[in-house]
Amino acid sequence: MKAITVVPGDVGQVRAEDVAEPAEAEGALLVQGDLLGICGTDADIVHQGYGTPPPGEDRLLIGHESLGTVLRAPQGSSFAEGDRVVGIVRRPDPVPCEPCSRGEWDFCRNGKYTERGIKERRGYGSERWRVEPEFAVKVDPGLGDCGVLLEPTSVVAKAWEQTERIFSRASWRPRTALVTGAGPIGLLAALLGMQRGLDVHVLDLNDSGPKPGLVADLGATFHTGDARDTGLRPDVVIECTGHGPLVFELTDVIAPNAVICLAGISGGTHAVPISTDEVNKSLVLENAVLFGTVNAARRQYEQAADALARADRAWLERLITRRVPMSGFKDALQKKSDDVKVVVDLHA
């Protein structure tokens, strides 16, 4: 079968090549790969050397944002031939640590977890893949190809879940939310904020391309420029850019008792002077919380599946702005000005 394989950190080693069929040891569900979503993690694997092939292998079968159709399912499972499914990315460590033993591998404490298409496991970027039934999530058939958005939605589902847990420390509830960054993660974070009945605002660097329209049609408000110039005093911020200086700007604009959730990572390394004492004072005196989140557990995949099933499919379809064949994977890593979510057609 055909699959996309890479040598982390070597752009010249990206291939769509013939590989062996997936081994039964990888899971009892045999799945036909349909679509593969591309994100910044994939670019970091190819360009920056992030990620690790399975032990004893030189190449990594890449891909963690999956969508496929079940070809064969074991008797007694909750899956049947023809079901659309997404594979969960992370696997618990073999020890396991306490969180992993409780299904919270997204909170792994010893770093020995593995991840499909990222860390020591073959990914989903192939014509066929296998997955353990307990690590597969059924997608509402009404979503069609928008099911490929499930994995990134799981990330923001966790961000919102953890944010809401922090708000449970007090009796009041947030009314205004600011999402920074209008990429796929930011737009999906805004969607989940709207579903929670919040007044949602989205801040991005520029107002060209499809993003302002997507935000407006969601019922949210689009902004550009400096967060301090928006006039907002948000109760909650979902930060999706990973831009360090922006994180500290946000401490100047939040309302009292606010929560800032950091859901983005940037590859930047430039240093910017900041007054750490002032930031500390602001967080303490305003009773604010600043925290980071990564990955997702099964329950957040299920939350994401529910959120997408309740969303407007026509709006979700507009997030998928470009499709490429397997052979175009390397080019797809280079974002175009009007890109939102780029996907690989695993049939092409």
Side-chain angles (χ1 to χ4, degrees):
M1 67 174 183
K2 290 288 186 184
I4 305 165
T5 70
V6 306
V7 174
D10 190 339
V11 180
Q13 289 288 330
V14 177
R15 299 176 188 163
E17 62 177 348
D18 290 318
V19 301
E21 292 284 336
E24 289 190 26
E26 293 183 23
L29 279 184
L30 178 62
V31 180
Q32 171 188 280
D34 293 328
L35 292 176
L36 183 73
I38 296 177
C39 81
T41 298
D42 299 306
D44 286 344
I45 290 170
V46 172
H47 296 289
Q48 306 298 329
Y50 180 72
T52 310
E57 299 184 19
D58 296 326
R59 302 185 65 82
L60 174 66
L61 198 166
I62 202 169
H64 61 282
E65 295 186 7
S66 62
L67 178 66
T69 303
V70 174
L71 296 174
R72 192 179 309 140
Q75 288 188 345
S77 75
S78 61
F79 298 94
E81 181 180 342
D83 285 343
R84 301 299 290 279
V85 295
V86 164
I88 290 174
V89 177
R90 186 172 287 194
R91 300 293 183 275
D93 72 73
V95 175
C97 66
E98 184 176 356
C100 283
S101 71
R102 298 173 179 270
E104 296 179 337
W105 49 77
D106 52 320
F107 283 100
C108 181
R109 289 179 59 82
N110 60 24
K112 295 182 179 179
Y113 62 84
T114 55
E115 292 178 320
R116 297 289 298 258
I118 302 173
K119 185 180 182 228
E120 300 175 5
R121 281 184 183 262
R122 287 163 50 120
Y124 298 114
S126 55
E127 290 181 303
R128 287 171 292 284
W129 41 269
R130 285 185 174 271
V131 66
E132 311 94 320
E134 63 269 28
F135 287 98
V137 179
K138 197 177 298 186
V139 176
D140 187 311
L143 278 174
D145 287 349
C146 296
V148 76
L149 300 171
L150 183 56
E151 192 279 336
T153 306
S154 75
V155 174
V156 294
K158 178 184 174 183
W160 277 110
E161 179 198 88
Q162 299 296 309
T163 296
E164 288 167 339
R165 287 190 180 191
I166 295 170
F167 275 114
S168 70
R169 65 187 175 151
S171 60
W172 73 284
R173 289 295 172 263
R175 297 182 178 86
T176 302
L178 174 63
V179 176
T180 51
I185 292 290
L187 290 168
L188 291 167
L191 168 67
L192 270 62
M194 293 297 298
Q195 289 182 343
R196 284 160 168 77
L198 297 174
D199 176 21
V200 177
H201 298 256
V202 179
L203 177 70
D204 200 67
L205 284 176
N206 61 72
D207 57 4
S208 61
K211 295 176 182 179
L214 285 163
V215 170
D217 292 343
L218 192 59
T221 305
F222 187 84
H223 303 266
T224 59
D226 193 305
R228 292 166 292 198
D229 295 334
T230 63
L232 295 171
R233 294 278 281 167
D235 303 310
V236 55
V237 179
I238 308 294
E239 205 298 296
C240 303
T241 70
H243 184 55
L246 174 59
V247 172
F248 294 101
E249 287 177 19
L250 294 171
T251 63
D252 288 339
V253 303
I254 53 174
N257 314 312
V259 175
I260 302 175
C261 172
L262 308 182
I265 298 175
S266 171
T269 59
H270 63 285
V272 177
I274 60 169
S275 174
T276 53
D277 287 343
E278 286 301 315
V279 170
N280 179 77
K281 183 189 295 183
S282 175
L283 292 173
V284 171
L285 295 182
E286 296 292 346
N287 225 2
V289 174
L290 173 67
F291 79 101
T293 182
V294 69
N295 205 266
R298 182 180 180 89
R299 71 177 182 276
Q300 283 108 24
Y301 279 81
E302 293 168 347
Q303 291 166 8
D306 177 67
L308 292 178
R310 291 187 288 118
D312 176 18
R313 176 170 167 176
W315 185 85
L316 294 174
E317 288 173 343
R318 291 163 59 197
L319 298 186
I320 302 174
T321 49
R322 186 158 53 111
R323 295 172 182 248
V324 300
M326 280 194 185
S327 60
F329 178 80
K330 182 167 67 173
D331 293 336
L333 296 174
Q334 305 296 327
K335 293 201 70 172
K336 297 183 179 180
S337 59
D338 57 350
D339 278 343
V340 179
K341 172 57 70 177
V342 181
V343 300
V344 178
D345 185 341
L346 297 174
H347 300 299

